[in-house]
Amino acid sequence: MSSQDRYDLLIIGGGINGAGIARDAAGRGLKVLLVEQHDLASATSSASTKLIHGGLRYLEYFEFRLVAEALAEREALLAIAPHIIWPLEFVLPHESHLRPAWMIRAGLFLYDRLGHRAFGFGGRCSLRTSLPKSKSVRLAPEGYGAGLKPEFERGFSYFDCWVDDARLVVLNARSAAARGASILTRTRLVRAQRERDEWVATLDSPSGGEREVRAAAIVNAAGPWVKEVLDNELKIDIPAEVRLVKGSHIVVPRIHEKRHAFILQNPDRRVIFLIPYERHFTLVGTTDIPLFPEERRRRISPEEIAYLCAAASRYTAKPITPGDVVWSYTGVRPLYDDGSDDPSAVTRDYHLLLDDNGPPLLSVFGGKITTYRRLAEHALEKLGKRFPGGRAWTRTEPLPGGDFGGRSFDALFTDYCGRYPRLPALWLVRLLRRHGTLADAVLGDVRSVADLGEDFGGGLYERELRYLIANEWAREADDVLWRRTKCGLHMSAEQRSKVRETMAGVA
Ligand SMILES: Cc1cc2nc3c(=O)[nH]c(=O)nc-3n(C[C@H](O)[C@H](O)[C@H](O)COP(=O)(O)OP(=O)(O)OC[C@H]3O[C@@H](n4cnc5c(N)ncnc54)[C@H](O)[C@@H]3O)c2cc1C
């Protein structure tokens, strides 16, 4: 076996946790190989509600550690990836019979306080978060009632952040690759066993053949497959179970023209979000449905669509019906099984289980998009005996395209409008939201729309498509239409087919 096939760390899974750990480890000087059986972010990490948030509702389950850590991360991530993460105001219409006003006020007070403390303790010695504090609002007079039934008169407003989840994964993978990591998509770990002080792993390569690699340690970040990989591919028994909880979202035409989102309470005590999405749409989600490991169905059911439509329509001026749904997606939460009966109450906190009976194996259970960076730091700490000496570094280092040099997104946009006056401003916004300061690398010598090559519709041009293939592991149409971009949502079926045809020959 050549030294090329020997690694310090083999990571199974190209979701946010695998990609985040790959980035952190590569930056500490480790030789990293990440294998992903499909596309990056093809599972749970592109199917989230797309919030970088403390999780207001977790306060009801006394998850104070998780909320404080997540709020600290909210600030850190906002600073290192301002192109794909931005503040979002949430409005909670008040319904006293569901939760009394004093309870919500107390919850928001605590949320604000935890945010401030978390930020202060996060190391910047500041007691101010960059986000406004929560407040009570009158809906109609203050413009917060748009789209809602007029009977909802009062409510509360607070801030969290929005994230392009799939791009967060890709940017972590790019950052890892820039620091020497090998990222292999469409590559499945078939089996691995310990041989003296190394792991010997067999990979299924995209061309069909098998390949053997060796690694000093393995991280199992297979998300919903974490237990399956332990049982079947690694044949290691560790005392932990994963709880699979399915969550679906629907996308409907935009219910109002304002920028804020709604967090809506339901009589079953769950909450759902209504979030402005891709300019023309509203994202509605999520459900919480327990799944058995064998039924890893990843499609929304008619019952889930009915549930989301009914829950939203309790509030919206115009009812939302299944006929309004233009797109939907479903993900499976790989939660750490804490024995709770209620799927909404199962802890969202993560657990890192280390098996060091020989070369180390670290398995990731649970977690959130929001806490991936801290999870990666903790993972490297847990592996510290095998890889001593590395220092945490990711908290302030911008992700690719996120180095705004102190400028706001608006200032960056103004700069690009000046430099590319012949490109449509609306398209430039979308491009900058996807690539940040790497937009220059996408555009190269482009000056006008004619230089962008074939127009596939939905804001996707040949120029960007080629860039995504060359730099972001895009191999199939869905990688581009639904993960590297959301252009698929803005295209007709014929336009999507054209992208499929164009990408058919990409190896
Ligand atoms: C409906 C829903 C809403 C959510 N909303 C939010 C939110 O708003 N904010 C938030 O912070 N979090 C949210 N989450 C949680 C968050 O999305 C997940 O915690 C996170 O995406 C899990 O990432 P992961 O890397 O562990 O798993 P995944 O993203 O599932 O990645 C695991 C990867 O491992 C790969 N894999 C499996 N087996 C193998 C193998 N043998 N070889 C190679 N590759 C393999 C899979 O293909 C997969 O891509 C939400 C989750 C859901 C389901």
Side-chain angles (χ1 to χ4, degrees), residues 11-19 35-53 58 161 163 165 169 184 187-190 203 220-226 228-229 233 245-249 273 286-288 329-335 348 364-372 375:
I11 299 170
I12 309 165
I16 190 58
N17 290 326
V35 293
E36 163 53 50
Q37 61 184 348
H38 302 301
D39 180 30
L40 294 169
S42 54
T44 319
S45 298
S46 59
S48 79
T49 309
K50 308 180 199 308
L51 301 181
I52 296 294
H53 64 160
Y58 306 143
C161 289
V163 62
D165 52 3
V169 177
L184 299 181
T187 303
R188 200 173 101 76
L189 176 106
V190 185
L203 312 176
N220 172 9
W225 294 268
V226 59
E228 201 170 291
V229 165
E233 278 86 354
V245 178
K246 178 184 173 193
S248 296
H249 292 81
F273 294 101
T286 170
T287 53
D288 264 333
Y329 61 82
T330 295
V332 177
R333 299 177 181 86
L335 304 180
R348 266 52 176 167
V364 176
F365 285 77
K368 300 180 56 58
I369 299 269
T370 308
T371 47
Y372 86 91
L375 182 154

Side-chain angles (χ1 to χ4, degrees), residues 400-416:
D403 48 344
F404 282 17
R407 284 174 299 177
S408 64
F409 182 84
D410 289 349
L412 186 75
F413 171 59
T414 308
D415 173 36
Y416 270 75

Side-chain angles (χ1 to χ4, degrees), residues 251-309:
V251 175
V252 299
R254 189 161 188 155
I255 65 154
H256 66 74
E257 294 304 315
K258 307 273 181 183
R259 289 178 160 210
H260 59 265
F262 289 111
I263 172 170
L264 305 178
Q265 308 177 74
N266 291 301
D268 63 6
R269 291 197 70 76
R270 295 194 62 254
V271 294
I272 62 155
F273 294 101
L274 263 61
I275 304 175
Y277 189 56
E278 289 285 310
R279 193 168 284 266
H280 306 298
F281 303 98
T282 296
L283 180 66
V284 184
T286 170
T287 53
D288 264 333
I289 315 275
L291 279 190
F292 294 108
E294 58 279 11
E295 52 156 353
R296 213 167 284 118
R297 237 178 321 124
R298 285 196 48 206
R299 301 193 75 160
I300 192 166
S301 67
E303 293 77 22
E304 287 179 281
I305 295 180
Y307 174 88
L308 292 173
C309 288

Side-chain angles (χ1 to χ4, degrees), residues 155-230:
F156 303 89
S157 134
Y158 69 95
F159 276 80
D160 263 322
C161 289
W162 169 262
V163 62
D164 184 330
D165 52 3
R167 289 209 58 78
L168 185 66
V169 177
V170 169
L171 295 184
N172 272 278
R174 285 192 64 164
S175 174
R179 288 169 171 79
S182 302
I183 310 287
L184 299 181
T185 61
R186 272 117 188 148
T187 303
R188 200 173 101 76
L189 176 106
V190 185
R191 63 186 164 274
Q193 67 279 338
R194 287 174 164 131
E195 270 185 22
R196 288 182 295 278
D197 58 348
E198 285 184 319
W199 282 97
V200 181
T202 307
L203 312 176
D204 233 350
S205 79
S207 51
E210 287 194 347
R211 173 185 166 198
E212 207 167 79
V213 295
R214 286 170 183 264
I218 287 186
V219 168
N220 172 9
W225 294 268
V226 59
K227 191 63 177 154
E228 201 170 291
V229 165
L230 282 165

